[in-house]
Amino acid sequence: MKQESEPDTFIPASTRLLRDQAIVEGNLPASTRYLSVAGVRGWLYPIESELGDRFLLFLYFDGSGYQVKVVEPVVERQADPHACHLFSDERICLGQDPSGGMPTLAGAYSKSVVWCNGYSVFLRTARFPF
């Protein structure tokens, strides 16, 4: 029996899209938009951190997991990407998996919100709070 947290690598794309759309409608901000950027389809959504910083993020499935990329603001490249949990291509490192992705859309969204709050602290203190 498949556990809920396992990635659905072998389900048809149309089935994944319908399932993901239902998750988006129930969990992500109402202003979330589904779009295609350079051949990658995903969801663009805004987040405001607890400290008032605004972020625009793009969540997508890369074939093996869900990834989140920071669209705005322009994030500074750090000497140590581990210090701010951000890859050099502006993708958020969401977990322990080497790809940095998450097995579920809901998990990737939740971790991206937590990351935005952590990055807001990092911008002010040069230290990530977790």
Side-chain angles (χ1 to χ4, degrees):
M1 177 177 212
K2 190 175 110 24
Q3 294 180 4
E4 238 179 83
S5 62
E6 293 177 7
D8 295 323
T9 336
F10 301 108
I11 64 172
S14 59
T15 302
R16 179 187 318 287
L17 178 59
L18 291 173
R19 185 205 55 210
D20 287 352
Q21 188 62 41
I23 293 168
V24 167
E25 289 173 3
N27 296 286
L28 275 68
S31 60
T32 299
R33 297 183 324 214
Y34 181 73
L35 49 96
S36 180
V37 178
V40 178
R41 295 179 183 186
W43 290 269
L44 186 71
Y45 59 98
I47 294 293
E48 184 172 334
S49 73
E50 292 176 1
L51 297 175
D53 296 319
R54 295 176 187 266
F55 297 86
L56 191 58
L57 306 175
F58 184 68
L59 190 155
Y60 61 97
F61 184 75
D62 71 359
S64 63
Y66 290 89
Q67 303 285 342
V68 179
K69 189 167 189 168
V70 179
V71 177
E72 293 178 3
V74 174
V75 287
E76 298 291 326
R77 293 220 168 124
Q78 302 298 322
D80 179 9
H82 295 288
C84 59
H85 303 277
L86 191 65
F87 293 111
S88 61
D89 63 355
E90 288 83 32
R91 277 182 308 119
I92 300 170
C93 180
L94 300 170
Q96 301 295 332
D97 185 270
S99 74
M102 292 292 292
T104 66
L105 185 148
Y109 170 69
S110 297
K111 290 266 190 153
S112 73
V113 172
V114 171
W115 179 87
C116 288
N117 284 308
Y119 194 74
S120 285
V121 171
F122 178 82
L123 290 173
R124 290 161 175 79
T125 66
R127 288 188 40 181
F128 222 83
F130 49 86

